[in-house]
Amino acid sequence: TAGITQAPTSQILAAGRSMTLRCTQDMRHNAMYWYRQDLGLGLRLIHYSNTAGTTGKGEVPDGYSVSRANTDDFPLTLASAVPSQTSVYFCASSETGQGVPYGYTFGSGTRLTVV
Amino acid sequence: ILNVEQSPQSLHVQEGDSTNFTCSFPSSNFYALHWYRWETAKSPEALFVMTLNGDEKKKGQISATLNTKEGYSYLYIKGSQPEDSATYLCALDGGYNKLIFGAGTRLAVHP
C-alpha cells in the first residue's frame, strides 16, 4: 500500500542521547514535513522540505535537524534529547504544483518519551 | 506566527444529529484551507482543500464552506453516525506550502 512509513513506532530515550526518527514515502511527493503533536496544542511544524536537497524551519525547530538527500527519505534527528521533546511525531508529504494546493498524507506517527 | 482557531474544542451529539464547527484564520494570509479527519490511533486524513471564497465541498454527509474575506470555514456533518467520531482539524496554507493547524474539534457521536 502506497504511503508513508515511520520508524520506530515508539521509543523511550534517555535525556542527552541522540536519536533519528525515520520517514520514507513511496508516492514521489516533492514536499515532506515533520510535525509534533502535544495535548491541547495540535500539530506544530518542526521542519519541512519542499524538494530533495532543500530544507526549512517550521514553528518549533530548536533541538531538531533534518536532511533530504533524496525524494523518498526525510529523517528527523534529535542531537541531545530533553524531556520537553516527549511527544508524538508525525511525518507527512504532499505533491506540489504552481498555484495548486494539495492535501497532506500522514504517517502513523512515532511516540517518543524522553526520560 | 499565523493563528488558526477552532471551535468548539469538543462536541458530544446523539446519533442522527446534524452538527457543525468553525475554523477561523487571518484572512490576510490566506492561500488555501484544509480540513482533516483524525480518528483515534490513526493518522489524519485529508477531507477537503479549499481555495476560493464561497467554495463549498462535499464528501458523503460531510460538507465544508469557506469565507476568505472574513476568515472562517464551517464544517457540517448531516445525520452524524458513531463512525463520524473523530477529531476534525483545519489548517491554513499561507502560500508557502506549509500548513498551520488548529487544535481541532473533538466530536463524539453517541448511539
Side-chain angles (χ1 to χ4, degrees), chain A residues 8-52:
Chain A
T9 304
S10 65
Q11 181 76 43
I12 298 174
L13 185 68
R17 299 295 295 268
S18 67
M19 178 176 182
T20 295
L21 280 61
R22 300 185 297 279
C23 175
T24 300
Q25 54 113 348
D26 61 3
M27 298 168 286
R28 308 300 293 172
H29 284 172
N30 292 332
M32 297 187 75
Y33 316 87
W34 275 104
Y35 285 85
R36 59 178 289 173
Q37 187 238 340
D38 301 293
L39 199 61
L41 294 177
L43 292 164
R44 292 183 293 167
L45 182 65
I46 304 170
H47 284 287
Y48 67 96
S49 168
N50 283 332
T51 190

Side-chain angles (χ1 to χ4, degrees), chain B residues 33-55:
Chain B
L33 193 286
H34 295 222
W35 280 100
Y36 289 81
R37 169 192 163 87
W38 193 359
E39 292 181 72
T40 303
K42 295 187 178 180
S43 310
E45 292 185 2
L47 284 173
F48 307 115
V49 179
M50 298 189 288
T51 59
L52 300 175
N53 185 45
D55 213 358

